[in-house]
Amino acid sequence: IFEDDDEVVAMIKELLETRIRPAVQEDGGDIRYVDFSVETGIVTVQLAGSCVGCPSSSVTLKNGVENMLMHYIPEVTSVHSLEEEEGDDSSSSGGGGEVVVEQEISEETK
C-alpha cells in the first residue's frame, strides 16, 4: 500500500494482502494487485504459481476473491485476472517482458 493510493485501492490491497493472498499461498499459488478502474469498478489481479493453468482458479477468483472484494468494497463490480504463463519466470528474475493471458470473470447479469 502506497501513500498516494486512494482509499478504495488501499482497501483492495489490504484485503488481498491480509485475507486473500495467505489462503491462495497455502495452496501453492499467489495473487497480486495490478489495477483498479474507478470508472468501471473492475479490479485486475495477477495469478501466479500453482494458480496458473489450474481449473479451480476461475472458481476461486469468482467465488472467493470477487465476492469478498464486492462484499467489503461496494465500488468493486468485477475482478479480472492476468495469469503468468507456465514456465515464465521473468517476474522472479526481475524481467519486464511478462507474457500474460487475460481471463475475464464478470458478474452475471441479474
Side-chain angles (χ1 to χ4, degrees), residues 27-32 46-54 84-86:
D27 289 330
D30 203 357
I31 186 168
R32 296 180 200 98
Q46 182 166 29
L47 299 176
S50 65
C51 290
V52 178
C54 175
E84 293 178 356
E85 288 195 354
E86 291 182 81

Side-chain angles (χ1 to χ4, degrees), residues 1-2 5 8-18 33:
I1 299 175
F2 299 110
D5 286 342
V8 174
V9 171
M11 289 190 304
I12 292 167
K13 288 181 176 181
E14 178 76 16
L15 277 173
L16 282 171
E17 290 298 318
T18 61
Y33 171 84

Side-chain angles (χ1 to χ4, degrees), residues 65-80:
V65 178
E66 185 176 87
N67 285 346
M68 181 177 285
L69 290 177
M70 289 172 62
H71 176 78
Y72 288 106
I73 307 167
E75 293 86 351
V76 174
T77 60
S78 181
V79 175
H80 295 190

Side-chain angles (χ1 to χ4, degrees), residues 17-91:
E17 290 298 318
T18 61
R19 308 275 308 269
I20 298 168
R21 193 169 185 215
V24 171
Q25 288 176 330
E26 282 182 13
D27 289 330
D30 203 357
I31 186 168
R32 296 180 200 98
Y33 171 84
V34 175
D35 186 47
F36 172 68
S37 170
V38 177
E39 295 82 26
T40 62
I42 296 172
V43 176
T44 304
V45 296
Q46 182 166 29
L47 299 176
S50 65
C51 290
V52 178
C54 175
S56 299
S57 66
S58 61
V59 174
T60 299
L61 192 68
K62 178 73 176 169
N63 294 335
V65 178
E66 185 176 87
N67 285 346
M68 181 177 285
L69 290 177
M70 289 172 62
H71 176 78
Y72 288 106
I73 307 167
E75 293 86 351
V76 174
T77 60
S78 181
V79 175
H80 295 190
S81 73
L82 300 174
E83 289 188 5
E84 293 178 356
E85 288 195 354
E86 291 182 81
D88 178 19
D89 58 356
S90 62
S91 61

Side-chain angles (χ1 to χ4, degrees), residues 88-102:
D88 178 19
D89 58 356
S90 62
S91 61
S92 59
S93 64
E98 292 180 289
V99 177
V100 294
V101 177
E102 188 168 335

